[in-house]
Amino acid sequence: SLNPAARKAYSRMEVLKLLRACKKCNFREHTVNTLRAAIILSYLRGMRREEIANIHPAHIDNRKGAASLLIPKTKTDTPRTIPLDWKTLTAARCLADTQSKRGLPTIMFSAKFKIVREKSGLPSGDFHCLRHSFMTWTAKKGLTPQQIASVSGHKTLSMVARYTHLEGTEVRDLL
């Protein structure tokens, strides 16, 4: 379990540092691409490690102008569909095309992400912080808690509030 004092939401610039750091680590190219795709999907769509690790090509609906990703098995046992733009569609395809039939080991995300975070120079946080970052980022964009919950898969608005880290000035600016 992550030390609560270390938990935070990453800024956009910090996520860019993480993505650059992936390339600086001595990982195989496949691992670099997988980690980068996982970071993109967690930060831009709030996906959990287990969901990312089990993306299958059949879950990607690539209709022009309305691409989406079906997550049939979630932590809350409620399937959901995540809208994809070109960046997240590319990341989902990368993961779907390269993973084994058993899925990607979620431990890889934790262990490798720690190395990437340290290489990036960021002092704290784990892979799950990307999910907090997604919810904070979408709240700053003005999405309602209900909209955030529909994409993140949270069943209660209190969980959305727990994951959203807004400062007073950010709330004021939205008003």
Side-chain angles (χ1 to χ4, degrees), residues 7-139:
R7 182 163 288 166
K8 66 177 193 125
Y10 293 116
S11 70
R12 182 177 183 275
M13 293 308 294
E14 289 172 325
V15 173
L16 291 174
K17 282 183 180 182
L18 290 167
L19 291 169
R20 283 192 294 267
C22 286
K23 291 184 176 181
K24 295 177 183 175
C25 293
N26 290 327
F27 300 144
R28 292 181 319 192
E29 183 179 354
H30 165 77
T31 302
V32 169
N33 293 338
T34 300
L35 275 170
R36 286 175 56 85
I39 288 168
I40 288 167
L41 286 173
S42 188
Y43 178 68
L44 294 179
R45 292 301 180 263
M47 291 180 65
R48 297 176 178 99
R49 286 181 312 175
E50 295 78 12
E51 296 167 347
I52 291 168
N54 290 298
I55 292 174
H56 188 276
H59 299 157
I60 300 171
D61 183 352
N62 189 17
R63 287 183 223 165
K64 194 167 188 159
S68 62
L69 176 64
L70 172 65
I71 307 298
K73 184 175 177 358
T74 67
K75 181 179 175 183
T76 60
D77 294 323
T78 304
R80 71 180 191 280
T81 301
I82 298 174
L84 300 174
D85 59 9
W86 69 269
K87 189 179 291 188
T88 52
L89 175 60
T90 301
R93 282 182 178 155
C94 171
L95 291 165
D97 291 344
T98 59
Q99 72 176 345
S100 69
K101 289 182 182 175
R102 292 188 331 247
L104 298 166
T106 57
I107 190 69
M108 182 195 86
F109 293 130
S110 299
K112 301 287 187 190
F113 185 83
K114 182 178 180 190
I115 295 167
V116 168
R117 183 192 43 78
E118 289 170 354
K119 183 69 101 173
S120 74
L122 297 176
S124 64
D126 65 0
F127 189 84
H128 188 71
C129 291
L130 293 163
R131 191 162 156 77
H132 286 254
S133 304
F134 164 75
M135 287 177 238
T136 300
W137 169 69
T138 53

